[in-house]
Amino acid sequence: MSVLKALLEPRSIAVVGASRSPGKIGYTILRNIIEYGFKGELYPVNPNATEILGYRAYPSITAIPGEVDVAVVVIPAPETPKVIEECGKKGVKIAVVISSGFSEVGNTELEERIVKIAREYGVRILGPNIFGYAYTPRNINATFGPLEVAKGNIAFITQSGALGIALMGWTIMNEIGLSGLFSIGNMADIDVVELSELLADDPSTRVITVYLEGLKPGRGREFIERMSRVTLRKPVVVIKAGVTKRGMKAVASHTGSLAGSDALYEAAFKQAGIIRARTITELFNIARAFAQQPIPRGVNTVVITNGGGAGVLATDAAELNNVPLLEPSQQLVEKFKETMPWFGSPKNPVDLTGQAVVDNYIKALKVAVESPEVDNIVILYCRTAILDPRDLAKAIAEFYRENNVSKTTVIAFIGGVEVYEAIRYLNRSSIPAYPTPEEAVAALGKMLWYKKYLESRLKKQEVEAVRLALHPA
Ligand code: ACO
């Protein structure tokens, strides 16, 4: 077992600097680990306490009787070298160093010191300058972010702690489930590449998302080579921050990493098969599609809508995002015709008209799912008073579940408050739903790009193996 695997499956966690005072970071992390339901051994370490939050406290990590796999270190930076040395003596596998005050403020010497000590003992360091990590399959929330982390299949690696914390809340609101969340801060030791490799092996992760500010100098080639292997197993979606001149300066003072030229990163991502997102919304839109839907088998896409305008927007978006819209055969056109009023449009986009009710949608979906011409489906709905979006969402989810539909599908529901409820319902039912046609089609576009990328690097049966590994039939 690789040492890093202990991060995901620790038998025991120690919190060094577990505080007795509510409101302190060391208290919050210990409380989150307890309340999120970690099942292994838990050891608070604090020389001034005998018990914290109902757990026996130890004066030092070496005083703990059992083995310790992960030590979360939450003490002021100047005291960390001593604690890392103790971690080494204790045989700790991974030290998760929350403390700030290292290379991000020019204190590179202290950072190098803890890495050197850790290397001497074979301890690996996550951080420093991080908010911790979460791994939901094992009920681990070792962060000082919100307690609740929605469970799912998206892993998020972030160089920004604050952004990670904010996203924890956002993912819950939007019904986006995470397998793991890893704050990497200064990346003094464990970096984005190693974590991605770890997650490529993780059966609970279907897509890896990354907020990246920069890499360590001189690591570009290695990044491309190693990430190229990861992307042949799982999609990786990256948002790269610090693309403007001022943004680059901000990166230097945030995590101390090198933002570098945007064009270089763009080329590196392309070469490594990494999907680039330009905004946080896009990052998770794409991730959601990969987490919930299988990689497309083919490219031919059909749009089913109750609004002509939404259909036109989706058509434009398809053109702009390289999503080929199917030219349906006459036979297929005739079949679609039977699902709509006489004034509907059976071509692609299939316009069921504003008069459409649940029955029209389900009939049209049935035609699309059964047709060998159709590979992918985009379902659009504009709010009308004759069709409650929540009813439609329920019917679609039921149809997909009962028929075990494996054609890649994205949905856009456009409208008011009820639409938002319907979108959340669909997301919970593993069908990615968005508030605009453009977002839905753009997410599908990235899936098709990834499919093409895999096909350019792998044999046909290997692509199918990746597809099945991510979404078993
Ligand atoms: N071993 C074990 N326990 C110790 C040790 C030690 N060597 N030294 C101190 N402690 C105990 C203290 O007694 C205290 O417990 P108490 O509150 O019960 O008395 C506890 O550990 C914490 O020590 P403090 O000295 O009170 O430190 P404080 O909690 O104020 O700060 C911290 C520690 C949080 C690590 C701080 O130095 C720090 O780095 N803060 C920034 C963290 C951060 O923001 N990280 C990046 C996140 S990403 C983002 O952007 C959000």
Side-chain angles (χ1 to χ4, degrees), residues 184-253:
I184 50 177
N186 298 1
M187 289 196 297
D189 177 24
I190 299 170
D191 67 0
V192 62
V193 175
E194 250 189 307
L195 271 180
S196 299
E197 288 169 340
L198 178 73
L199 293 164
D201 279 335
D202 174 36
S204 300
T205 297
R206 287 181 178 160
V207 52
I208 299 165
T209 56
V210 183
Y211 167 88
L212 185 72
E213 293 195 346
L215 300 169
K216 294 274 173 206
R219 303 286 290 273
R221 182 123 308 275
E222 185 195 344
F223 174 84
I224 295 172
E225 276 168 21
R226 290 171 64 181
M227 291 307 283
S228 299
R229 288 195 285 274
V230 173
T231 57
L232 291 182
R233 302 177 63 197
K234 270 174 204 181
V236 176
V237 192
V238 173
I239 179 163
K240 164 75 177 68
V243 297
T244 59
K245 252 191 190 155
R246 287 191 82 138
M248 285 180 201
K249 270 193 188 162
V251 162
S253 60

Side-chain angles (χ1 to χ4, degrees), residues 386-446:
I386 57 161
L387 175 52
D388 189 310
R390 294 163 295 192
D391 294 340
L392 181 60
K394 271 193 193 128
I396 292 173
E398 201 175 287
F399 175 80
Y400 271 68
R401 204 171 33 247
E402 280 175 1
N403 295 283
N404 208 6
V405 176
S406 64
K407 291 192 176 182
T408 308
T409 301
V410 290
I411 298 185
F413 272 30
I414 309 144
V417 179
E418 300 86 357
V419 155
Y420 189 64
E421 273 178 51
I423 288 175
R424 283 166 57 97
Y425 183 87
L426 287 162
N427 285 336
R428 266 202 308 278
S429 310
S430 279
I431 313 178
Y434 307 90
T436 65
E438 297 88 339
E439 284 170 89
V441 173
L444 179 60
K446 296 295 187 195

Side-chain angles (χ1 to χ4, degrees), residues 15-27 29 44-49 52 58-61 73-80 82-83 86 97-102 104 128-132 144 159-165 183 185 254:
V15 180
V16 184
S19 171
R20 297 158 294 179
S21 307
K24 275 199 183 181
I25 291 180
Y27 177 92
I29 291 179
V45 176
N46 184 325
N48 307 310
I52 305 174
Y58 295 86
S60 69
I61 198 144
V73 178
V74 208
I75 52 164
E79 293 173 44
T80 51
K82 186 169 164 268
V83 167
E86 285 173 358
V97 184
I98 305 290
S99 325
S100 299
F102 295 88
E104 82 282 3
N129 186 29
I130 61 174
F131 75 91
F144 59 94
Q159 238 173 326
S160 154
L163 192 68
I165 290 175
S183 176
H254 183 213

